[in-house]
Amino acid sequence: MSKYIKTALILGGGGARGAYEIGVWQALREMDIPIDIVAGTSVGAINGAMIAQNAFDLSVSLWEQLETSMVFEPGIAKKEDGPLKELLFQYIDETAVRNSKMEYGLVTVELPSLAPHYLYKEDIPRGKLVDFILASSSIFPALRAKNIDNVKYVDGGYIDNLPVDMALKKGAGHIVAVDLNSAGLIRKDPLKEADHLIRIRSKWDLGNILVFKGSNAMRIMRLGYLDTLKKFGFYDGSYYCFPKGIFNKRTLEAAETAGKIFGLNPAHLYSNSVFERSLKETVQAYRREIEREMKDFSGRIKNRKILKKDLPNLLQKINERTLTLIIADYLIQHPSTQNTLLTNSMLALFKEESKAANYLVKKGLLS
C-alpha cells in the first residue's frame, strides 16, 4: 500500500492582497485537492484559520464587504489591536480550528529580540488563538505590537513571510505556497528543500496592502483562482487565461503583450475569438480617442530626418498604446520594407510595443 502524501497550503502575508489566497483555495476545492496542513503569516494566518474551519462562503463574504476602517484606525495606530480584533472574533471560531483535521500554524516575531515564533495550534494556549493571529498580523505603523502575557509580538513577515518550513516540519510532501509579492522576508532555503512545491503569485499588481476594498478583493480573488488553475495545467497564459493549446508559445506571448498594453481584463477566461474581439474593440475605441495625436506624430516623422538617438525625445509624450498603433500602421503601409528606421531602430527600442503591433497586424485587428 502506498504511503499517504500530505498536502500543505502556505499563505504569505500581504494585507489587503489576502483575497487572492481565497481564490487559490477556491481552485483547490474545485480540483478536490485535500489540504492537510495550512500555515501562514499575517493575513495568511487569518485566511489559514478560515480554511482550517472550512468556512469558504464566510471567507468570501468577509472579503467582499471588507473596508479599511474595519481593519485599521486612521493614521498611526492608537490602540494595540484596533478594530481588527473585534472583526476576527466575529469570523474565527477557535473551537472549529482546533477540532479541524487540518494542521494549522502561524508565524509571529517577539520584541525586542526579534525571535521568530513558529506556532502550531497545539502550541497556542486555549482561548488565545485570535490573540496570536493578531500578533502575526501586527504590522507597524498600522497596528501596534500585540501584548500577550507581557510579551510583545509583531507581524511574522519581518522574519518569514512565506513559512514553507512549517509544512516541511509537519511532513508535507506536496506544498502549494501563495506569495502575495509584499515586502516581507522570504526564506529561500525551505523553498529549495521542498521536493514538490508549487509557488503561486500574480503577474498583476494586487493593490496597496493597507487599503481594503471589496471591489478590489473580488478582482484579485478571481486572479488567484485563475492563476492556480493555470499553475496546475488546466489553462494557458501568464497574464491572461486561455484554454489549453489555442496559441503556440510565441503567439501567446504576443497576444498577452497586446492585451496588457490595451488594458484587457485579466479576470476573464478568454477563448481565441473572444480575446481577439475584445482586443479589436478596445483598439478601435482607443484609435478614435487619439486620432489627432497620431496624425500630428506621423506628420512630424515625414517632415524631418530622425536618427535613432532622436527617438526617445520625440516619443517621450507618446504612450505605449499610441506607439503600438503607430508601429502597426507603418507595418501595414510598408509590409516589405527592410532596414528602415521603424523596422529596425524603433523595433529595437520598443520591443513590447512592436510585439503587440505585429500581433494586431497579423490578426487583422486594426480594421
Side-chain angles (χ1 to χ4, degrees), residues 7-12 18-29 33-60 62-63 88 91-105 121 129 133 176-178 180 221 228:
T7 298
L9 177 60
I10 302 300
L11 304 172
Y20 184 87
E21 296 174 336
I22 302 302
V24 174
W25 182 26
Q26 178 187 0
L28 296 177
R29 284 164 54 92
I33 294 177
I35 301 171
D36 302 293
I37 304 158
V38 61
T41 298
S42 197
V43 73
I46 297 173
N47 284 332
M50 300 293 285
I51 292 170
Q53 67 191 52
N54 197 29
F56 177 75
D57 291 340
L58 189 64
S59 299
V60 173
L62 169 61
W63 281 102
L88 293 188
Y91 283 90
I92 292 177
D93 182 340
E94 178 170 346
T95 300
V97 174
R98 291 190 181 278
N99 291 340
S100 172
K101 293 181 180 179
M102 288 185 209
E103 302 276 4
Y104 169 74
K121 60 184 179 183
L129 179 66
I133 292 173
V176 178
V178 188
L180 296 179
M221 191 181 297
T228 304

Side-chain angles (χ1 to χ4, degrees), residues 168-200:
L168 297 175
K169 288 178 179 178
K170 285 292 184 177
H174 295 146
I175 301 172
V176 178
V178 188
D179 181 357
L180 296 179
N181 296 316
S182 61
L185 178 67
I186 293 180
R187 296 174 59 223
K188 295 181 180 179
D189 287 345
L191 297 178
K192 296 176 182 177
E193 291 172 17
D195 291 330
H196 302 283
L197 182 143
I198 295 176
R199 188 172 179 179
I200 300 173

Side-chain angles (χ1 to χ4, degrees), residues 20-305:
Y20 184 87
E21 296 174 336
I22 302 302
V24 174
W25 182 26
Q26 178 187 0
L28 296 177
R29 284 164 54 92
E30 291 186 7
M31 290 186 286
D32 290 325
I33 294 177
I35 301 171
D36 302 293
I37 304 158
V38 61
T41 298
S42 197
V43 73
I46 297 173
N47 284 332
M50 300 293 285
I51 292 170
Q53 67 191 52
N54 197 29
F56 177 75
D57 291 340
L58 189 64
S59 299
V60 173
S61 176
L62 169 61
W63 281 102
E64 190 173 25
Q65 65 175 310
L66 205 55
E67 299 291 335
T68 305
S69 61
M70 299 167 65
V71 181
F72 303 125
E73 293 179 314
I76 302 295
K78 300 176 180 63
K79 298 179 181 178
E80 182 180 286
D81 302 318
L84 182 58
K85 183 175 183 177
E86 180 180 349
L87 186 70
L88 293 188
F89 271 115
Q90 290 178 27
Y91 283 90
I92 292 177
D93 182 340
E94 178 170 346
T95 300
V97 174
R98 291 190 181 278
N99 291 340
S100 172
K101 293 181 180 179
M102 288 185 209
E103 302 276 4
Y104 169 74
L106 57 81
V107 184
T108 187
V109 177
E110 183 179 336
L111 290 181
S113 65
L114 296 182
H117 289 258
Y118 293 87
L119 303 173
Y120 301 97
K121 60 184 179 183
E122 61 268 24
D123 303 320
I124 298 172
R126 290 189 175 274
K128 294 189 177 180
L129 179 66
V130 168
D131 287 324
F132 276 95
I133 292 173
L134 283 165
S136 180
S137 308
S138 294
I139 181 170
F140 182 84
L143 292 171
R144 290 187 178 182
K146 175 65 178 173
N147 191 317
I148 303 175
D149 297 331
N150 295 318
V151 179
K152 290 186 176 181
Y153 301 92
V154 292
D155 195 291
Y158 291 116
I159 292 295
D160 194 345
N161 206 40
L162 196 63
V164 169
D165 200 37
M166 296 194 77
L168 297 175
K169 288 178 179 178
K170 285 292 184 177
H174 295 146
I175 301 172
V176 178
V178 188
D179 181 357
L180 296 179
N181 296 316
S182 61
L185 178 67
I186 293 180
R187 296 174 59 223
K188 295 181 180 179
D189 287 345
L191 297 178
K192 296 176 182 177
E193 291 172 17
D195 291 330
H196 302 283
L197 182 143
I198 295 176
R199 188 172 179 179
I200 300 173
R201 48 184 169 181
S202 178
K203 293 279 190 177
W204 297 96
D205 181 359
L206 298 180
N208 190 315
I209 66 172
L210 298 180
V211 178
F212 291 78
K213 190 174 182 180
S215 58
N216 186 57
M218 293 300 98
R219 178 185 74 89
I220 65 177
M221 191 181 297
R222 175 69 174 174
L223 294 181
Y225 171 76
L226 293 176
D227 285 346
T228 304
L229 293 177
K230 286 186 287 186
K231 275 289 188 179
F232 278 83
F234 287 91
Y235 297 108
D236 283 339
S238 295
Y239 291 89
Y240 293 93
C241 191
F242 303 99
K244 295 288 290 184
I246 66 171
F247 296 123
N248 61 40
K249 184 177 180 180
R250 185 173 181 178
T251 304
L252 175 60
E253 185 179 348
E256 292 201 298
T257 300
K260 285 189 296 174
I261 288 176
F262 286 93
L264 265 59
N265 188 348
H268 290 169
L269 171 58
Y270 289 100
S271 66
N272 191 358
S273 60
V274 170
F275 182 79
E276 289 184 3
R277 183 172 66 249
S278 301
L279 185 57
K280 183 174 183 177
E281 290 172 355
T282 304
V283 167
Q284 290 180 345
Y286 182 73
R287 184 189 285 279
R288 289 192 293 270
E289 290 179 17
I290 52 86
E291 187 174 2
R292 179 178 297 180
E293 180 183 2
M294 287 188 66
K295 285 182 178 179
D296 176 67
F297 183 82
S298 296
R300 293 174 67 187
I301 288 179
K302 292 178 181 178
N303 294 329
R304 59 179 291 190
K305 182 179 180 181

